[in-house]
Amino acid sequence: MKLYTTLYVILYICTNKNISAATEIVKRINVMKVNPYFLGSEDSDSSRHMQGKRRLANYDGCRYDLKDILPDLFSVFKLAAERTNAALQQFKPEARSGNLEPNILQSCFAEELFSRFKLQASFGKYSRITLRAKGYIILFKKFSNTGKPMNIKTKNVQNINNQKQTLSLFAMEDSDYQDEPILFFGYKKNRLNKIVDPQLVYLDEGVIRFAIHESEIVIPLATPKTINRPQISEENKPRIKKSN
């Protein structure tokens, strides 16, 4: 509507041969640096919706919205990685298949995640581990050295990386899911083939827009278990015989 109104005003001014006024309006529009639909910055989500895209996510907003979720998420991953390393000890390195470690890690992560987040976490379509929390959808993936999720390039994967609304993530579709930004929680492998650098990543248009690393999150230390030692009464304590 704003686009048609602006064009109408310019056309009206030009018809009345007021070229200088029309030129001034065009200059002001360029200075504003708004999107092609001439929408203000406050309408960015509306513009994305018109493009069939999900709500825009940003670094500060994401950290604030997920401030109660992220410590648990990193803690869950740490437990899953420890369980994975312990399970791998049962197999000789030369006997491990290529998919053994990622399969064990995914199962351990899913079990810990489901236990911690209850009904917020589940398996979506194509066995994707999915966490819905605070208006975001979080998927679990291994990252490449460039920090992007390692996926086979399909149309569905491209839609996810482009934050498209028209994609299927769950067995039962719900319009409430279509506006929630998609984040990836994952890890990398170092040169020693060790699991390292867990992080939360947001992609849009196939480009990494921001990442939140474990070092940026305050993770509460586990409370040490207290051991209740039995109390020995005075009469039951051993007596030391005094020498004369």
Side-chain angles (χ1 to χ4, degrees), residues 3 23 49 54 56-57 61 72 74 76 97-98 118 139-141 171 174 179 187-188 214 229 232 235-236:
L3 172 60
T23 304
H49 189 269
R54 294 168 180 269
L56 184 68
D72 283 340
F74 282 101
V76 161
S97 64
K118 309 301 180 186
L139 306 179
F140 179 65
K141 291 297 295 184
D174 190 322
D179 195 45
Y187 64 97
K188 295 181 181 180
E214 185 177 19
R229 301 183 182 277
I232 303 175
E235 58 271 16
N236 291 331

Side-chain angles (χ1 to χ4, degrees), residues 6-198:
T6 304
L7 292 177
Y8 178 80
V9 171
I10 294 175
L11 181 61
Y12 176 81
I13 294 174
C14 290
T15 302
N16 289 274
K17 299 181 179 181
N18 195 341
I19 305 299
S20 59
T23 304
E24 181 64 25
I25 290 176
V26 172
K27 286 182 179 180
R28 290 186 181 183
I29 292 174
N30 290 332
V31 169
M32 288 171 64
K33 295 182 179 179
V34 295
N35 60 50
Y37 297 99
F38 296 96
L39 301 177
S41 59
E42 69 276 5
D43 294 323
S44 59
D45 283 335
S46 299
S47 173
R48 289 176 66 85
H49 189 269
M50 293 171 65
Q51 300 173 52
K53 302 190 69 171
R54 294 168 180 269
R55 191 179 76 248
L56 184 68
N58 60 72
Y59 176 83
D60 292 328
C62 186
R63 280 199 62 182
Y64 178 80
D65 294 338
L66 299 177
K67 62 181 182 299
D68 298 327
I69 301 295
L70 290 176
D72 283 340
L73 195 56
F74 282 101
S75 178
V76 161
F77 180 79
K78 183 177 180 181
L79 290 173
E82 291 173 352
R83 288 182 56 186
T84 299
N85 291 330
L88 289 174
Q89 299 304 315
Q90 303 177 37
F91 304 91
K92 294 181 179 180
E94 62 272 17
R96 300 173 187 172
S97 64
N99 292 329
L100 179 64
E101 183 182 58
N103 285 340
I104 293 176
L105 178 58
Q106 176 159 325
S107 296
C108 291
F109 183 76
E111 189 170 54
E112 295 291 343
L113 191 74
F114 297 165
S115 174
R116 186 73 61 91
F117 291 97
K118 309 301 180 186
L119 297 179
Q120 290 177 284
S122 64
F123 279 112
K125 276 194 173 181
Y126 312 112
S127 299
R128 290 192 183 98
I129 298 176
T130 307
L131 174 66
R132 290 191 66 222
K134 305 292 185 178
Y136 296 86
I137 297 175
I138 303 174
L139 306 179
F140 179 65
K141 291 297 295 184
K142 177 183 177 182
F143 295 139
S144 66
N145 291 333
T146 61
K148 292 185 178 181
M150 297 181 68
N151 287 307
I152 299 173
K153 291 184 178 180
T154 64
K155 185 176 181 179
N156 202 41
V157 167
Q158 289 178 345
N159 286 338
I160 292 175
N161 293 342
N162 291 330
Q163 298 291 327
K164 291 291 185 180
Q165 291 180 322
T166 55
L167 55 87
S168 179
L169 292 174
F170 303 96
M172 295 181 64
E173 293 307 317
D174 190 322
S175 59
D176 292 342
Y177 303 157
Q178 300 302 317
D179 195 45
E180 297 176 346
I182 300 172
L183 307 172
F184 291 94
F185 183 86
Y187 64 97
K188 295 181 181 180
K189 299 293 288 293
N190 63 11
R191 293 182 179 179
L192 300 177
N193 205 35
K194 299 294 184 182
I195 298 170
V196 296
D197 198 15

